[in-house]
Amino acid sequence: MQYCPKCKINIRGTKKCCPLCQGRLEGEGEAPIFPVLKKRKVSNVSFFKICVFAWILLMITMFWIDYVTGNQFAWPGVVRVAGCFALADLGVGMYYHSNILKVVTIEIYFGMLVGYYIDKKTGFYGWSLSWMIPAFFLALVLITMIMGSILKLYIVDYVIYLAVDVLASLLQIIPIYREQNPFPYAAAASIAILLGFASYIVLFRFRDLKNASSKYMNI
Ligand SMILES: [Zn+2]
């Protein structure tokens, strides 16, 4: 232990000088009381800034290629969209890194949007509406339930996700109504299953739903 002869105090840990009088210390220092955390070389914020910078460069390059080639190719547009999704994805992942369920949920919604976009850009055959989005909604509810039990969440903590998923799945009615969905049965089935699930929650888990909504409304 270190000792300051002027102030007559013992000092724990290792100090260069006395914290009171800044004078010289006697004796040997000891291991620090608090664990020393390794400082990360690049903080999350600067990592994200680097990514934003790379994204800006990518955007400029792609617009430049479009300009030079007179919009001859489709791929710079695809790269731009992919770049935007990648950056948004990274941002979400870093912002909600402590809430894995939120990250997974947002990723799945991203996936649906990307699928819909690709479908629309490649002739709009409707496969995203017919198969991909209905399957993603079912997977979303299943994954939410599985993660809820794996992470040992209370249903109060994730029932709001399920409610949002059910409401979002109702949006599938719009393309069916506008006759944009060439095979609407899977979408209809996924809406029906999610509504059935929602009625189960409302009937048998009403207290959890009420607690969750009051919890979220109060914030
Ligand atoms: Zn001192």
Side-chain angles (χ1 to χ4, degrees), residues 8-219:
K8 301 194 181 2
I9 52 164
N10 289 317
I11 290 147
R12 301 287 305 269
T14 305
K15 292 272 186 304
K16 280 198 181 105
C17 60
C18 171
L20 297 178
C21 68
Q22 317 299 327
R24 271 184 59 183
L25 296 172
E26 291 172 355
E28 290 286 300
E30 55 182 17
I33 315 160
F34 298 109
V36 180
L37 293 177
K38 243 197 206 160
K39 217 179 160 192
R40 289 182 59 180
K41 271 189 190 135
V42 184
S43 75
N44 277 347
V45 175
S46 36
F47 175 69
F48 191 65
K49 279 183 185 167
I50 293 167
C51 292
V52 171
F53 185 61
W55 174 79
I56 291 170
L57 292 183
L58 182 76
M59 291 296 121
I60 294 172
T61 314
M62 290 306 132
F63 276 114
W64 180 80
I65 290 173
D66 264 349
Y67 175 71
V68 169
T69 60
N71 290 318
Q72 217 179 333
F73 304 112
W75 61 266
V78 175
V79 171
R80 271 199 299 272
V81 172
C84 291
F85 272 112
L87 186 74
D89 204 38
L90 187 77
V92 167
M94 290 177 74
Y95 190 76
Y96 293 121
H97 61 96
S98 56
N99 188 339
I100 184 82
L101 182 58
K102 197 173 258 178
V103 173
V104 169
T105 300
I106 294 173
E107 298 278 317
I108 292 176
Y109 280 110
F110 263 158
M112 289 193 216
L113 281 177
V114 172
Y116 180 74
Y117 179 82
I118 293 172
D119 191 7
K120 202 143 195 187
K121 283 283 150 184
T122 54
F124 207 24
Y125 295 107
W127 52 264
S128 62
L129 296 170
S130 302
W131 298 109
M132 195 203 79
I133 292 176
F136 271 37
F137 269 118
L138 292 178
L140 188 57
V141 168
L142 210 64
I143 288 170
T144 306
M145 297 298 288
I146 292 170
M147 285 184 75
S149 69
I150 290 176
L151 299 172
K152 295 193 171 62
L153 299 177
Y154 293 107
I155 194 160
V156 176
D157 293 325
Y158 64 90
V159 77
I160 203 84
Y161 287 87
L162 297 172
V164 169
D165 297 340
V166 171
L167 289 177
S169 78
L170 293 178
L171 291 174
Q172 296 183 96
I173 292 172
I174 298 169
I176 294 177
Y177 184 75
R178 291 163 128 194
E179 294 178 347
Q180 288 172 326
N181 189 338
F183 185 80
Y185 305 107
S190 89
I191 294 172
I193 292 169
L194 262 65
L195 280 178
F197 185 71
S199 49
Y200 162 78
I201 297 232
V202 170
L203 287 173
F204 297 101
R205 299 283 191 164
F206 186 69
R207 192 180 296 173
D208 291 313
L209 196 65
K210 221 177 110 194
N211 288 346
S213 52
S214 60
K215 190 177 154 189
Y216 283 96
M217 294 309 153
N218 286 339
I219 291 170

